[in-house]
Amino acid sequence: MSTPSDMSTLSSINADTSTLSSPPTTNTDMSIPSDMSTLSSINTDTSTTDKKRKLDLPDNEQPSDDTTTKKVRTLPANAKAKPLGSSPVANKQSFLTAWAKPSTAGLPISQKKEFSVEDLFRGLSEDAKELLKLEKETLEEGWLKVLVPELRKGYFLELKRFLKKEKERGQKVFPPENQIYSWSNFTPFSNVKVIILGQDPYHSDGQAHGLCFSVPTGVRPPPSLVNIYDAIKRDIPDFEKPAHGYLEAWAKEGVLLLNTSLTVRAHTAASHSGKGWEMFTDAIVNCLNEKKSGLVFMLWGNHAQKKGAKIDRKKHLVLKTVHPSPLSAERGFYDCKHWSQANKYLESRGRTPVNWNSLA
């Protein structure tokens, strides 16, 4: 059986103190690490102090002995012992533990304890857990971790009870339930670069799918989105205006497309405002403001600018202009140049710019 070299060192530590009672020979060929020779000197009984001193003598002054003396490496004259604690036994046990169980510091992420969604909802009543089932199943993991304190609050549970009653009454609500949090999956928390804030989801059939200003492929782009395309073309001449209004590619580039209210009753604008969504999306903006730096916030219109009033401008770039609606776009939106400014800022912070042409 092959014994690790460190274990041979332990043998010298465990040797009876009588080992040192006879002076060592000067011709030694044992290879003992300097740290372990220090252990040998510390572990000797105090009664052998004079004998230890002999070990510190030059080779030509060492006493000779023709008896069966065990070979022990001498300490250099200038050697300094490292502090190992007051107990030699504890020192040996500590060394054994370190040799048998290496430190786990710096282990790859894959070897660390896995994230448990259940832990985030522990302590809630069964009723609350049932109300939050959609969030648990459809919010992206990174967003879920940072937003779970909000999900547990009373106002949010009341919001979920309201939505449950809407469903029980047969009210049609947009976007479809499984797309309410699609913004979190298209733009994970770790990937956010730019934030564009909208208001209500579109309230006509087949339009809303969880990203502000965006509509599914096959649906005609709304007027505000057409104006956004026109403004980008003025800002970035090689931008190719797409024929569709599906902004998934931007979201995957790190552009968070977040509405202030995440649901709306069909054909009734602002029907879910004041129910709790505004507090929740305020928490999202605050979370991004506090936990991240180097983000770009595009605040279009008074509503978005009020929501972003507390953003730290020392940590982030805040770009403001009028809303892209046909009612206001002519008052400065077309020439705001937010998209090129955003990319210059991201590059100055060492981040990859957004490919605004990714929709083509």
Side-chain angles (χ1 to χ4, degrees):
M1 178 175 178
S2 177
T3 306
S5 59
D6 287 341
M7 297 310 296
S8 63
T9 304
L10 288 177
S11 299
S12 66
I13 295 174
N14 291 329
D16 191 272
T17 54
S18 61
T19 301
L20 297 176
S21 62
S22 300
T25 62
T26 59
N27 180 24
T28 175
D29 58 358
M30 288 187 66
S31 178
I32 301 178
S34 59
D35 287 345
M36 297 314 300
S37 64
T38 303
L39 283 175
S40 298
S41 68
I42 293 174
N43 288 339
T44 23
D45 190 272
T46 54
S47 63
T48 63
T49 301
D50 292 338
K51 298 172 185 177
K52 183 177 75 64
R53 287 174 181 165
K54 292 179 182 179
L55 299 178
D56 293 331
L57 295 173
D59 288 347
N60 59 0
E61 295 182 24
Q62 292 286 350
S64 61
D65 191 354
D66 57 358
T67 60
T68 57
T69 303
K70 295 182 180 179
K71 295 180 180 180
V72 179
R73 184 184 175 98
T74 61
L75 283 171
N78 62 348
K80 293 183 181 180
K82 296 179 181 179
L84 296 175
S86 58
S87 170
V89 175
N91 293 335
K92 286 185 272 187
Q93 290 175 341
S94 175
F95 177 79
L96 277 170
T97 302
W99 177 80
K101 297 181 178 180
S103 170
T104 58
L107 280 177
I109 296 296
S110 60
Q111 297 184 34
K112 295 182 180 179
K113 184 179 178 181
E114 292 184 1
F115 167 69
S116 173
V117 173
E118 296 298 331
D119 289 342
L120 299 179
F121 295 91
R122 186 168 292 142
L124 289 173
S125 66
E126 292 304 314
D127 175 62
K129 289 180 180 179
E130 183 62 27
L131 288 171
L132 297 174
K133 184 178 179 180
L134 180 69
E135 286 69 27
K136 177 181 174 182
E137 294 178 350
T138 63
L139 263 172
E140 184 267 334
E141 183 179 290
W143 282 108
L144 183 60
K145 286 180 182 180
V146 297
L147 293 177
V148 75
E150 289 299 310
L151 303 181
R152 299 172 68 104
K153 290 182 179 179
Y155 84 86
F156 194 83
L157 294 175
E158 283 303 310
L159 167 64
K160 293 310 300 283
R161 291 187 181 99
F162 164 76
L163 294 173
K164 182 180 178 182
K165 289 179 180 178
E166 289 278 86
K167 187 176 182 179
E168 290 171 350
R169 293 168 184 161
Q171 295 287 353
K172 185 184 289 187
V173 172
F174 297 135
E177 193 174 63
N178 64 349
Q179 295 179 359
I180 292 174
Y181 299 110
S182 63
W183 52 269
S184 74
N185 293 286
F186 287 129
T187 314
F189 182 73
S190 60
N191 196 39
V192 178
K193 297 177 183 177
V194 177
I195 300 92
I196 297 178
L197 296 178
Q199 297 183 22
D200 259 11
Y202 294 123
H203 55 77
S204 295
D205 291 298
Q207 288 186 311
H209 68 103
L211 303 180
C212 72
F213 295 107
S214 178
V215 291
T217 303
V219 177
R220 183 180 177 181
S224 291
L225 183 54
V226 172
N227 290 342
I228 292 171
Y229 289 164
D230 289 341
I232 299 176
K233 183 67 176 177
R234 290 193 189 186
D235 184 22
I236 305 173
D238 65 353
F239 174 72
E240 298 179 16
K241 292 193 289 184
H244 63 84
Y246 188 49
L247 305 183
E248 175 189 345
W250 282 358
K252 289 182 176 180
E253 284 276 322
V255 181
L256 181 65
L257 300 166
L258 183 69
N259 277 314
T260 296
S261 183
L262 300 187
T263 60
V264 66
R265 191 181 300 159
H267 315 298
T268 312
S271 51
H272 287 181
S273 64
K275 302 297 183 182
W277 281 129
E278 292 87 352
M279 293 177 66
F280 182 65
T281 51
D282 279 347
I284 293 173
V285 172
N286 291 337
C287 179
L288 291 167
N289 179 44
E290 294 173 4
K291 293 183 179 294
K292 290 183 174 289
S293 62
L295 300 180
V296 180
F297 289 83
M298 295 184 180
L299 308 180
W300 301 337
N302 293 332
H303 186 85
Q305 290 167 22
K306 181 179 179 181
K307 198 169 188 68
K310 295 181 180 179
I311 296 168
D312 187 346
R313 285 157 174 77
K314 294 179 180 179
K315 292 173 59 180
H316 309 286
L317 176 64
V318 178
L319 302 173
K320 299 191 295 183
T321 189
V322 297
H323 194 274
S325 163
L327 299 176
S328 56
E330 293 288 351
R331 300 200 301 269
F333 184 80
Y334 291 120
D335 297 312
C336 69
K337 300 186 183 301
H338 282 185
W339 303 270
S340 61
Q341 290 183 64
N343 279 353
K344 287 177 183 177
Y345 178 78
L346 291 171
E347 289 180 305
S348 73
R349 304 291 294 244
R351 303 195 70 182
T352 305
V354 174
N355 178 13
W356 298 107
N357 254 331
S358 59
L359 300 177

